[in-house]
Amino acid sequence: MEGMIKGEINASGSPIIETRVIGSRTEVTVKGILDTGFTGYLCLPITTAVSLGLELTDVEKVELADGTILEDEPVFSGKMEWNGGIIDVDIVLTKSADTLLGTALLR
């Protein structure tokens, strides 16, 4: 079925969804963890994001899962494939190797 979001459950029980992320220079296919504790759209590893050509659009305050507050975290704009279409998304970057898909995508 076109437009259906497909994924898998990994060995540790996390839901994994494959999607395309599109920047101004290139695009990349990533497998991301659907993270219900992340209220944004997309969190990419810095190493994945560098080549995409994302545009810095904002800075915001972020609270991590452990309660740590980070001030002035950069937010980038990009596009991603979601539910059969291409949507505009805000993207935050992480030093982690994990791509996270947040609850903003579920709204």
Side-chain angles (χ1 to χ4, degrees):
M1 290 183 185
E2 192 169 349
M4 180 185 258
I5 298 168
K6 297 178 184 177
E8 62 192 33
I9 304 296
N10 69 11
S12 63
S14 297
I16 306 294
I17 297 171
E18 187 173 280
T19 187
R20 273 186 314 135
V21 181
I22 303 159
S24 64
R25 287 195 299 251
T26 190
E27 62 183 57
V28 64
T29 299
V30 297
K31 287 188 176 185
I33 300 167
L34 183 58
D35 181 355
T36 58
F38 171 43
T39 59
Y41 286 94
L42 183 63
C43 182
L44 286 177
I46 293 170
T47 54
T48 301
V50 167
S51 66
L52 289 172
L54 302 175
E55 179 185 347
L56 178 64
T57 57
D58 200 2
V59 291
E60 64 182 36
K61 186 189 314 186
V62 176
E63 182 176 356
L64 302 179
D66 67 1
T68 303
I69 303 290
L70 301 176
E71 300 285 341
D72 299 329
E73 283 297 292
V75 178
F76 296 84
S77 68
K79 297 181 183 296
M80 69 181 282
E81 186 175 49
W82 188 252
N83 201 23
I86 303 296
I87 63 170
D88 293 320
V89 291
D90 291 334
I91 300 170
V92 293
L93 305 185
T94 179
K95 293 176 185 170
S96 167
D98 293 329
T99 294
L100 302 177
L101 305 174
T103 57
L105 292 169
L106 303 177
R107 288 189 217 126

